[in-house]
Amino acid sequence: MKTTQTLGLWIIFLAAILLSSCQSGSVLSKKEQRDLSDAMDVPALGQHFQGLVVYDPETKEVVYERNGDHLFTPASNVKILTLRAALEHLPDSLPLYEQLNAGLSMYIRGTGHPAFFHPDFDASLQEGQLKLMVRGFDSLFVLSPKVNPRRFGPGWAWDDYSYSYQTERSALPMFGNALFVEWDSLRSEVLIHPDYLAQYANIRLGKGREIEVKREEYLNEFQVRVGAQTAQGTRVSAPFLIEPYAQTRLLEEALKQPFRQRYSAPDGRWTKKGFFPKDTVLRKMMWESDNFIAEQMLLMVARELTDSLDGAAGIRATRRDSGQIRWEDGSGLSRYNLVSPHYLVDELEGIQALIGWEGVQEYFPINGRRGTLKDRFETREGIIYAKTGTLGNNYNLSGYLKSKSGKWYIFSYMHNHFIGEADELEDDIERVMYYLHSKL
């Protein structure tokens, strides 16, 4: 009798273990999954196309999924793909340019590095170093590549040429490829950088609290309007037109030496110069969702892998075919891009494997604290480390979620084809994210 009872207890015990193991992948109960689905079906969210994948990197299991394999317009979530490509294929320190010495002549050529003379990356130090470099040479040349990067990516809105978020791509970017306008209210003075372009800026002071900058489409001529009530230190930018004459004049102004453009150079050894840390540039790209940096970093990946400044070649060399996607640029400006939540989760898992959880916390915006999430989802700050992606009628959020239990999850929550502004969705998206945080 005791043997039979003992055997029965063992059967019950083993069945409980088996049942527990079968249910371990389902972190959310069926009721919790229904509640989560209901939260996603509120009017503001339920009337457009949305997809969500929540993934447990420890158990390698999907916790929740809706439309996970469907393709979405990712907008700046494409920068997640660019980040992984840069982390995986670029060295920790990158050359700003390359130099060839031929007797008393010196040639420089671009590497695509976005920090060259960029005002946010200690341009004055770079200028000082290059001034020392050019001493002793009679002739200075800028070498144009045989094939220049196209100034815009495929699927970009060409009408947006004068907006700060659509800076042109180039082999030798300088000064962020943009005219920067800053208002010094203490002196009632408008500051223009780089100095060379100030002569082409028509400045008007008026009422208001904003700075507006517009440019002629095929000329480096700018209309600048500054509101007299604009806050001290406000700075805005507008892309300048990339063309050889402007490039050489910009270098001349910065270095006080004459430069000329060349399309060929003598045989010789090109030396990498002006090394700049990769992580500094990538943090700015991710925190501020900087399109210019993202595009230039993709060009640098292409140069490293294919010896060309061809973004499309860089994409072909790095994309993973774990799912059918369409990847067209480095920034996400292209409306041709199509990516699924599952694909983004795979990329995010790959990034975490490369840089660890400390790296995740270093590179990604944080809700309520930093970057594009600094003023978003502030009810319970410091739990979402993610990249936003906003393009007209599309809003996406993909990254890492720290649950109430302290465990990390990877997620991609995508919203396409809604009418109205993205901020109209944020309260409901926040509720979904906080529900996951509290239940996982």
Side-chain angles (χ1 to χ4, degrees), residues 71-79 81 326-327 329 331-340 344 387-391 394-398 414 416:
L71 295 175
F72 290 77
T73 300
S76 282
N77 273 196
V78 162
K79 292 183 179 73
L81 280 60
R326 185 172 182 180
W327 180 12
D329 65 6
S331 63
L333 281 172
S334 176
R335 287 189 178 269
Y336 296 160
N337 290 315
L338 290 171
V339 181
S340 70
L344 285 171
K387 183 73 199 72
T388 53
T390 306
L391 199 60
N394 301 289
Y395 178 77
N396 310 297
L397 185 68
S398 300
M414 308 188 77
N416 280 191

Side-chain angles (χ1 to χ4, degrees), residues 23-272:
Q23 291 180 339
S24 63
S26 180
V27 178
L28 297 174
S29 68
K30 289 184 177 180
K31 180 183 184 306
E32 288 169 340
Q33 292 191 40
R34 287 196 301 270
D35 290 342
L36 180 58
S37 296
D38 289 343
M40 295 175 63
D41 288 331
V42 297
L45 301 181
Q47 296 176 1
H48 62 261
F49 186 43
Q50 61 177 319
L52 172 63
V53 170
V54 183
Y55 174 78
D56 184 339
E58 285 187 10
T59 64
K60 307 295 182 184
E61 293 176 318
V62 172
V63 173
Y64 183 87
E65 175 180 2
R66 179 189 287 195
N67 295 327
D69 289 321
H70 286 65
L71 295 175
F72 290 77
T73 300
S76 282
N77 273 196
V78 162
K79 292 183 179 73
I80 292 169
L81 280 60
T82 304
L83 175 66
R84 180 171 182 179
L87 289 170
E88 205 162 35
H89 299 292
L90 294 179
D92 291 338
S93 189
L94 305 169
L96 294 171
Y97 60 94
E98 291 184 339
Q99 176 183 334
L100 170 67
N101 298 338
L104 294 177
S105 297
M106 188 188 88
Y107 293 76
I108 67 169
R109 68 182 180 187
T111 61
H113 203 305
F116 189 47
F117 286 175
H118 195 297
D120 291 342
F121 296 117
D122 202 356
S124 60
L125 177 61
Q126 295 178 32
E127 289 178 18
Q129 291 172 340
L130 197 49
K131 282 178 181 176
L132 292 175
M133 200 91 62
V134 301
R135 286 182 178 178
F137 291 99
D138 290 344
S139 302
L140 303 172
F141 302 102
V142 179
L143 182 68
S144 290
K146 293 180 180 179
V147 180
N148 267 300
R150 292 180 60 191
R151 64 185 187 122
F152 293 157
W156 288 16
W158 282 55
D159 287 347
D160 292 349
Y161 64 88
S162 69
Y163 289 100
S164 60
Y165 55 77
Q166 193 158 299
T167 306
E168 295 185 21
R169 308 182 296 186
S170 66
L172 181 64
M174 289 183 284
F175 304 100
N177 284 356
L179 171 87
F180 291 87
V181 180
E182 186 173 344
W183 173 237
D184 185 345
S185 63
L186 301 178
R187 299 182 181 181
S188 295
E189 184 179 4
V190 178
L191 307 176
I192 302 290
H193 186 76
D195 296 339
Y196 167 74
L197 293 177
Q199 61 189 306
Y200 302 111
N202 179 24
I203 302 171
R204 293 184 298 116
L205 291 176
K207 298 179 180 179
R209 301 176 180 275
E210 296 181 349
I211 301 175
E212 294 180 357
V213 185
K214 294 183 179 180
R215 194 199 81 213
E216 295 295 324
E217 185 168 2
Y218 297 108
L219 292 172
N220 280 320
E221 294 183 1
F222 302 86
Q223 300 296 322
V224 179
R225 194 190 71 80
V226 179
Q229 286 76 45
T230 301
Q232 167 73 13
T234 298
R235 190 182 75 172
V236 301
S237 66
F240 61 72
L241 183 69
I242 304 298
E243 47 91 12
Y245 180 82
Q247 283 193 316
T248 53
R249 297 294 82 77
L250 284 164
L251 278 172
E252 287 182 353
E253 182 73 23
L255 303 177
K256 310 306 178 186
Q257 294 270 22
F259 272 82
R260 285 175 285 176
Q261 199 85 14
R262 286 291 183 269
Y263 296 90
S264 63
D267 293 334
R269 180 173 175 268
W270 287 92
T271 306
K272 297 176 180 179

Side-chain angles (χ1 to χ4, degrees), residues 303-322:
R303 192 171 188 272
E304 186 76 15
L305 298 179
T306 70
D307 199 31
S308 72
L309 287 165
D310 181 354
I315 289 171
R316 288 193 297 272
T318 58
R319 72 167 273 178
R320 294 161 183 79
D321 289 317
S322 61

Side-chain angles (χ1 to χ4, degrees), residues 356-408:
W357 291 114
E358 287 186 6
V360 164
Q361 295 173 73
E362 176 185 351
Y363 282 109
F364 281 79
I366 308 172
N367 70 305
R369 294 182 184 175
R370 184 178 70 201
T372 54
L373 291 178
K374 182 176 181 180
D375 300 319
R376 296 180 179 180
F377 314 128
E378 297 176 90
T379 305
R380 201 169 303 162
E381 66 176 41
I383 63 169
I384 301 170
Y385 296 71
K387 183 73 199 72
T388 53
T390 306
L391 199 60
N393 313 113
N394 301 289
Y395 178 77
N396 310 297
L397 185 68
S398 300
Y400 309 89
L401 175 69
K402 195 171 187 179
S403 72
K404 189 177 180 179
S405 66
K407 186 175 178 178
W408 286 99

